[in-house]
Amino acid sequence: MPNITYQGKAYSAEPDETVLETLLRNGVLVPYSCGAGACHTCMLHCQKGDVTERSQKDIKPALKSLNYFLACQCTPESDLEVALPDDEDVYVSARCVEKQQLSPTVWRFRFEIAVPLFYHAGQFVNLKNEAGWLRSYSLSSLPVEDEHLEIQVRRMPEGQMSHWLADDFDVGMHIELEGPNGHCIYTDGEAEKPILMVGTGTGLAPLIGILRDALHQGHSGPIHLYHGARTQDEIYLHDTLNELAQQHSNVHYHACISGDDVGEMKAGRAADVAMSDHSDLKGWRLFLCGAPEMVKTMRKNAFLAGASMPDISADAFTTPEH
Amino acid sequence: MSTLFEKIGGEGAVDAAVDIFYRKVLSDDSISHFFETTDMEAQHAKQKAFLTMAFGGPNNYTGADMRAAHAPLVAKGLNESHFNAVAGHLQATLEELNVPADLIAEVMAIAGSTKDDVLGL
Ligand code: HEM
Ligand code: FES
C-alpha cells in the first residue's frame, strides 16, 4: 500500500482510502469540509509523487501545474509526500471595506482585494483567518456591476468561523481568500428558459448574484425566486428583492415561512411552496442553494417533475459537514 | 452490419433514455433507496454507463467490475426481485421511446446476462 508522508512522518494508506482519510485516521488534522470534491478546503500540495487525475479535475490550471490536488478525491496509486498549501500560491489578502447586519443572524461583508479576481456570481471563495479556520462562502456580488466582493454570513450555533466574523472581524481588517470555485452560475444562451431558484438561509446569497447576472445578460424568461426561513425576521433583503421584482416584470419573488407566524409572506417550506406552484418543470433551469436536506430532496423532486439533470445546479455546500 | 448500439441510436439514445429510466427507478419505492445518494449527478452519470452497457455500446466493464460495483448493494439486500424491477423499467423506457421489439429483446438479453454478477451469485 502507498505511503503518505506529511511533515516528515509516513502513514500507510488502506485499500481504497483517500489521502484525506489516511491523514484523518492517523489523527493528522488537515482542514476539510464536504468530503465530496466541491468545497476545495482539503486542497494540499503534492511535493513528491503523482496524484490522480480525478483529484485535479476541478483545480485551477495554475495550481494544477504546481501539483495542488484535492485530498478527499485522491486514492493514491503510489507513495506521496504532501503538505498544506503555501499561502502565497493559493491565497490573496482581502480587506474588509463594509460590514452590515441584514437580519438578527445575517451579516454582509464586502471585500477589496489588490489583484482583480475573475469570477461569476454564484461561485464561492474560501476564507482563512489567522487561527487557520477555513470556511466556504458564496459570492453574491456581480463582477461587472460591483466594485467589491460580497459574501453573506449567517451566525450558526456551531459555527466557530461565523461567530468570529460576526463578533470580532471588522472593517479595515484583512483575511486570506482562495477562489473562485464552483459551477453554480448563470450560463447565457438560453435567455427564454424559465428559471426556478430556491434558497434557504444564506443560500439566498448566491441566488441574488445569479439573479442579477441573469438580468444583466438579458434573461427574458420568467425567474421565480423562493427564499425560505423559519421566521419572518430571518427573511433578509426583502425590500431589495421586492424592488427588483417591481422593476423587472419577469422576476417573481416569494418569501416563505415554515414557522407559524407568516404575516404577508407565504406559508410553508420554500421547496414545498415552489413545487406546488410549479408542478411541471420540463424545460426549466433550477438553482438550489442552502440546507443540504432541502437541496437533496428538491433536486429529486425537480427531476421527477421533468427537469433534466444537467439543468439543475446546486451550490457546493450540499454535503453535511462531518 | 451495424451494431445493436448503432441501431438503437448510439449515445443520443442513451441521452434520451437516461432521464426517463432514472425517473422510473427513483419513483419505484421498492428500489429507489439503492439509487438515492447525496450526489445525484454522479448517480445520473452511472445510469448512463448502465444504459450504454445494456445497449451493447462501448464500455470497459468486466464481470468482475459489475460484481464489485454492486457488491455494496448486495450487502444491503439487493436480490432478484430488485433486479427484475430494474429490468422492467429498462424495458418500459425502451417501449416509451418506440424502440422496435426485436432490439428491445436484444437489450434485455444483455441485461439478463449480467444478472449473476450484479447479484453476486
Ligand atoms: C440489469 C443489469 C445491470 C447492469 C448491466 C448494471 C450496470 C451498472 C453499471 C455499468 C454501473 C456503473 C458502475 C461504476 O462505474 O461504478 C452500475 C452502478 C450501479 N447500479 Fe447497476 N446494473 C444492473 C442492475 C442493477 C440493479 C438491479 C440495481 C439495484 C436495484 C443497480 C443499482 C446500481 C447502483 C446503485 C449503482 C451505483 C453504484 C455506485 O454509486 O457506485 N444496478 N450498474
Ligand atoms: S473536502 Fe475535499 S473538496 Fe471538500
Side-chain angles (χ1 to χ4, degrees):
Chain A
M1 281 298 120
N3 277 322
I4 312 297
T5 306
Y6 178 83
Q7 294 186 339
K9 272 182 90 171
Y11 305 97
S12 174
E14 301 275 329
D16 292 331
E17 206 174 44
T18 65
V19 171
L20 180 64
E21 286 164 342
T22 306
L23 293 175
L24 295 176
R25 182 170 50 78
N26 286 286
V28 180
L29 295 177
V30 291
Y32 72 101
S33 174
C34 73
C39 73
H40 291 216
T41 53
C42 66
M43 190 159 67
L44 292 179
H45 188 196
C46 175
Q47 298 176 314
K48 224 184 253 169
D50 294 314
V51 296
T52 59
E53 204 179 304
R54 175 190 159 94
S55 69
Q56 289 191 305
K57 189 172 61 140
D58 212 21
I59 301 253
K60 273 179 282 181
L63 292 177
K64 199 169 170 172
S65 64
L66 292 171
N67 261 336
Y68 281 88
F69 71 105
L70 299 180
C72 75
Q73 296 299 301
C74 185
T75 313
E77 282 150 15
S78 53
D79 289 359
L80 298 179
E81 210 174 303
V82 302
L84 289 179
D86 279 329
D87 281 358
E88 55 271 37
D89 289 346
V90 172
Y91 293 96
V92 296
S93 177
R95 193 173 74 90
C96 179
V97 294
E98 193 182 331
K99 175 182 184 181
Q100 186 191 358
Q101 189 162 5
L102 300 176
S103 84
T105 51
V106 174
W107 281 260
R108 153 197 280 164
F109 294 89
R110 290 198 167 114
F111 296 99
E112 170 184 84
I113 48 177
V115 278
L117 189 74
F118 296 97
Y119 69 97
H120 296 276
Q123 287 191 292
F124 69 93
V125 293
N126 288 313
L127 296 184
K128 188 174 80 151
N129 71 2
E130 274 175 16
W133 302 345
L134 188 59
R135 282 289 173 279
S136 309
Y137 295 100
S138 294
L139 294 166
S140 54
S141 45
L142 192 57
V144 286
E145 289 184 3
D146 302 322
E147 185 184 353
H148 298 123
L149 298 177
E150 174 176 328
I151 62 161
Q152 292 160 9
V153 179
R154 175 152 177 233
R155 188 198 283 277
M156 306 292 271
E158 310 277 303
Q160 232 184 359
M161 184 78 150
S162 71
H163 286 292
W164 179 81
L165 284 166
D167 299 335
D168 302 324
F169 186 71
D170 223 323
V171 171
M173 292 168 67
H174 286 79
I175 194 161
E176 300 289 300
L177 181 149
E178 181 271 329
N181 305 303
H183 310 283
C184 188
I185 59 173
Y186 180 79
T187 36
D188 58 2
E190 295 177 316
E192 274 140 46
K193 211 166 180 149
I195 294 180
L196 180 60
M197 302 178 150
V198 182
T200 52
T202 42
L204 182 64
L207 295 182
I208 288 187
I210 296 164
L211 170 62
R212 290 175 57 215
D213 198 6
L215 293 173
H216 178 81
Q217 298 198 41
H219 193 87
S220 58
I223 306 177
H224 286 268
L225 168 62
Y226 291 82
H227 183 212
R230 213 168 32 82
T231 59
Q232 287 184 56
D233 64 0
E234 289 173 49
I235 291 290
Y236 64 96
L237 295 178
H238 191 57
D239 296 339
T240 310
L241 285 164
N242 272 326
E243 266 167 46
L244 204 65
Q246 263 157 26
Q247 287 159 8
H248 300 270
S249 59
N250 60 331
V251 175
H252 310 274
Y253 162 62
H254 318 266
C256 308
I257 305 299
S258 59
D260 291 333
D261 180 16
V262 305
E264 304 281 287
M265 299 178 186
K266 293 198 171 179
R269 292 166 184 270
D272 297 342
V273 178
M275 283 308 301
S276 74
D277 287 356
H278 309 280
S279 52
D280 182 2
L281 293 174
K282 196 168 168 35
W284 284 64
R285 176 101 176 78
L286 282 100
F287 294 95
L288 312 174
C289 301
E293 266 314 302
M294 181 284 284
V295 169
K296 186 182 158 192
T297 314
M298 180 72 198
R299 189 197 281 275
K300 177 179 159 185
N301 290 338
F303 178 67
L304 291 178
S308 127
M309 193 65 72
D311 282 338
I312 308 176
S313 300
D315 70 356
F317 321 116
T318 50
T319 27
E321 293 191 21
H322 310 244
Chain B
M1 251 318 279
S2 55
T3 64
L4 170 66
F5 189 59
E6 284 161 3
K7 280 191 245 168
I8 290 188
E11 267 177 56
V14 172
D15 286 339
V18 65
D19 278 2
I20 300 176
F21 173 71
Y22 193 29
R23 260 181 215 121
K24 288 187 191 300
V25 162
L26 281 179
S27 312
D28 180 344
D29 290 341
S30 74
I31 50 172
S32 63
H33 58 286
F34 290 113
F35 295 87
E36 275 179 25
T37 64
T38 324
D39 199 347
M40 254 181 86
E41 264 174 307
Q43 192 58 252
H44 190 253
K46 287 190 177 170
Q47 300 319 307
K48 273 181 127 166
F50 163 81
L51 291 170
T52 305
M53 188 173 171
F55 291 2
N59 73 81
N60 296 317
Y61 292 109
T62 62
D65 293 336
M66 282 294 95
R67 265 171 202 271
H70 296 92
L73 310 176
V74 173
K76 283 192 231 154
L78 181 70
N79 63 34
E80 185 154 359
S81 74
H82 302 126
F83 184 90
N84 293 338
V86 166
H89 294 307
L90 177 61
Q91 172 144 7
T93 301
L94 295 170
E95 282 163 1
E96 220 171 295
L97 290 169
N98 294 319
V99 174
D102 56 328
L103 299 185
I104 295 184
E106 284 190 58
V107 171
M108 296 316 293
I110 294 179
S113 73
T114 65
K115 185 163 157 184
D116 285 1
D117 288 325
V118 168
L119 296 179
L121 300 175

